[in-house]
Amino acid sequence: MYAVIGAGPMGLAAARTLQKHGLPFTGLELHDDVGGLWDIANPQSTVYESAHLISSKRMTEFTEFPMRDAVAPYPRHDELKRYFGEFADAFDLRRHFEFGTRVVRAARAPAGDAGWDVTTERAGATTTRRFAGLLLCTGTLHHPHQPALPGTFTGRVLHSAAYKRPEAFAGERVLIVGCGNSGADIAVDLVRHARSVDLSLRRGYYFLPKFVRGRPIDTLGGMIRLPRPLKQRLDALLVRMVVGKPSDYGLPDPDYRMYEAHPVMNSLVLHHLGHGDIRARRDVARVEGRTVTFADGEAAEYDVILQATGYALHYPFIDRAALAWPEGAAAPRLWLNVMHPEDDTLFVMGMVEASGLGWQGRYEQAELVAAYLTGLAARQPAALAIQAEKRTWRGGRIDGGYRYLPLARMAYYVHKDSYLAALGRHLRALGVPPTPRGAARP
């Protein structure tokens, strides 16, 4: 019996693939339903009322269970919550999960015994059970990274994870620090409610529109494979032709090549910068009372500082050493971002980011784990080859030659095509056919 911890998109993918391969499992989920962060009613959710997918539905969905044709190209969080519920029901996954169950501790069984002892708390009662292995599916976007401010701010300070609705900031002067996809979305969300919205950036970003010629931008291109340097230059030129340079709107231009950091899928923030609804600011240099001084010497007063500064990997119920996670490293050291080099009973699922990877890419990661476990039990040569390869692995990641920025959030970033090719190669060796596309739904 395996333990699947978490019932968000990754937990459901893990559950479905274990089910397909006939491996017994129990799902453990803190909330009372599936959906993970996409269920805004989940106390652990970091989504806000206006949150939508940043990738289009056809590039994100599970292949065997397409989203309904009536669903918008970029669905809102409540539509996604419904999608995951339908996915769970279609494959009868709910009955495998224990909802309202907190994982308190996961530790290897005592010396001489196999498996993991998992302690859970449910309705005030604590239980410890032995599992053959663990699949950690708790996600990467639930533990806010909130750096200390350079000084003392006497207004409100909060992380974007706590943001839910713009009405809560009516009439206030808001400074957003950071501009990932959440920071840009929230800035646009606040324009009609806050007294003022300023956006402080330390570095430049590439801003992409969600639609080009009426189609989701991530569905365009890809038919012709270009050499990496040429693709970086050509795509950057095309984006500049469509939306211009960030400096045209008062923002810093990126000092790195395209795709070396995650782009921001939001051109509305540029629209509002161009209309003066949002004001661009440089990096925060000093904070005193309600006054913030920026790196260019300008200063302004604010009521709220909202830090859109991302998330840190966090698995509080298990020791870092068990995860092959060196002190000071931003992420565990895992083969293909999922398998422990030495331990064949521990898998960190979904610890992978890439432009366009979608849930299907994570599903294929889960399928690899399920097929590996099945093959290992049968002493299948392909599974034994994977075991040998990961045990002699010396680190490194599948970056496709891209020089990703040395940021914590980029520590587990991969090149999508190269990563999917690696997964596909091993899946074929294990005898797993590609996932057939499910029938279109009304």
Side-chain angles (χ1 to χ4, degrees):
M1 181 70 72
Y2 291 88
V4 173
I5 303 177
M10 193 70 246
L12 292 176
R16 171 60 178 150
T17 53
L18 291 175
Q19 177 194 63
K20 284 173 59 179
H21 287 264
L23 295 169
F25 67 94
T26 296
L28 306 170
E29 166 57 42
L30 179 58
H31 188 44
D32 60 10
D33 202 358
V34 302
L37 66 82
W38 290 107
D39 182 357
I40 200 169
N42 184 345
Q44 309 301 312
S45 174
T46 56
V47 303
Y48 34 93
E49 286 188 348
S50 63
H52 291 69
L53 270 181
I54 60 170
S55 55
S56 65
K57 67 178 182 181
R58 297 299 180 221
M59 300 298 292
T60 310
E61 65 195 5
F62 294 125
T63 299
E64 69 174 345
F65 196 75
M67 293 189 200
R68 297 179 185 276
D69 291 340
V71 171
Y74 293 97
R76 202 173 69 172
H77 63 84
D78 49 355
E79 191 66 68
L80 297 171
K81 167 65 170 64
R82 184 173 76 161
Y83 172 71
F84 293 122
E86 291 174 343
F87 180 88
D89 291 338
F91 300 109
D92 193 23
L93 299 178
R94 291 182 195 269
R95 66 184 178 88
H96 294 281
F97 280 88
E98 297 177 5
F99 296 102
T101 301
R102 178 187 296 275
V103 176
V104 178
R105 177 71 176 158
R108 287 194 180 93
D113 294 338
W116 291 80
D117 290 333
V118 179
T119 301
T120 58
E121 181 182 343
R122 186 181 188 186
T126 300
T127 305
T128 299
R129 287 170 285 179
R130 179 73 53 84
F131 290 94
L134 303 180
L135 284 74
L136 309 186
C137 306
T138 53
T140 62
L141 302 175
H142 60 88
H143 187 69
H145 170 62
Q146 196 165 6
L149 294 170
T152 301
F153 185 66
T154 55
R156 283 195 294 157
V157 179
L158 66 155
H159 189 271
S160 59
Y163 178 86
K164 294 299 177 185
R165 57 189 61 87
E167 294 84 357
F169 300 84
E172 295 189 296
R173 300 164 296 179
V174 181
L175 173 66
I176 299 173
V177 178
C179 188
N181 284 289
S182 291
D185 287 352
I186 291 170
V188 171
D189 208 23
L190 285 173
V191 160
R192 301 304 176 207
H193 295 271
R195 178 178 167 186
S196 64
V197 181
D198 287 11
L199 190 59
S200 168
L201 273 67
R202 182 175 57 185
R203 61 182 178 87
Y205 293 80
Y206 287 95
F207 291 85
L208 277 60
K210 282 192 168 182
F211 290 94
V212 174
R213 297 177 63 87
R215 293 177 55 190
I217 192 172
D218 59 0
T219 66
L220 304 176
M223 297 297 292
I224 302 175
R225 295 293 176 90
L226 299 173
R228 176 188 51 77
L230 177 59
K231 178 175 176 57
Q232 286 180 291
R233 289 197 297 270
L234 180 59
D235 286 4
L237 177 62
L238 291 173
V239 169
R240 182 176 295 183
M241 290 173 60
V242 172
V243 299
K245 298 185 296 182
S247 57
D248 295 333
Y249 303 88
L251 300 172
D253 289 322
D255 58 359
Y256 53 90
R257 292 182 178 179
M258 195 160 184
Y259 304 124
E260 292 178 352
H262 202 70
V264 177
M265 299 292 292
N266 188 318
S267 56
L268 282 177
V269 69
L270 303 180
H271 168 91
H272 286 293
L273 282 160
H275 286 74
D277 302 325
I278 300 171
R279 181 168 181 175
R281 295 290 192 178
R282 293 297 183 254
D283 191 21
V284 174
R286 187 172 68 257
V287 177
E288 184 176 352
R290 298 209 173 196
T291 301
V292 177
T293 303
F294 300 96
D296 58 3
E298 293 190 356
E301 299 267 320
Y302 298 97
D303 303 300
V304 181
I305 293 180
L306 193 153
Q307 293 178 288
T309 44
Y311 298 84
L313 295 178
H314 190 55
Y315 306 99
F317 49 82
I318 188 170
D319 290 339
R320 288 176 64 106
L323 296 173
W325 193 349
E327 286 297 328
R333 181 180 171 274
L334 304 173
W335 182 79
L336 282 185
N337 285 46
V338 64
M339 293 191 185
H340 192 288
E342 301 290 338
D343 194 331
D344 292 319
T345 66
L346 176 64
F347 306 91
V348 182
M349 313 298 297
M351 192 200 77
V352 59
E353 284 290 341
S355 293
L357 187 63
W359 296 318
Q360 181 58 27
R362 292 162 175 84
Y363 181 100
E364 291 174 21
Q365 183 194 72
E367 183 119 69
L368 178 64
V369 169
Y372 174 69
L373 290 171
T374 305
L376 205 58
R379 308 301 291 171
Q380 183 182 5
L384 295 175
I386 289 175
Q387 184 183 57
E389 180 177 331
K390 71 188 184 72
R391 288 187 176 175
T392 57
W393 177 62
R394 292 292 177 263
R397 62 177 169 181
I398 301 176
D399 57 18
Y402 288 87
R403 300 176 62 182
Y404 296 128
L405 296 185
L407 305 172
R409 73 155 297 177
M410 302 297 294
Y412 46 95
Y413 209 88
V414 300
H415 177 239
K416 180 194 74 172
D417 293 341
S418 301
Y419 188 76
L420 291 178
L423 291 178
R425 183 172 66 253
H426 290 296
L427 285 169
R428 288 191 298 273
L430 290 164
V432 180
T435 305
R437 182 166 178 80
R441 300 193 297 151

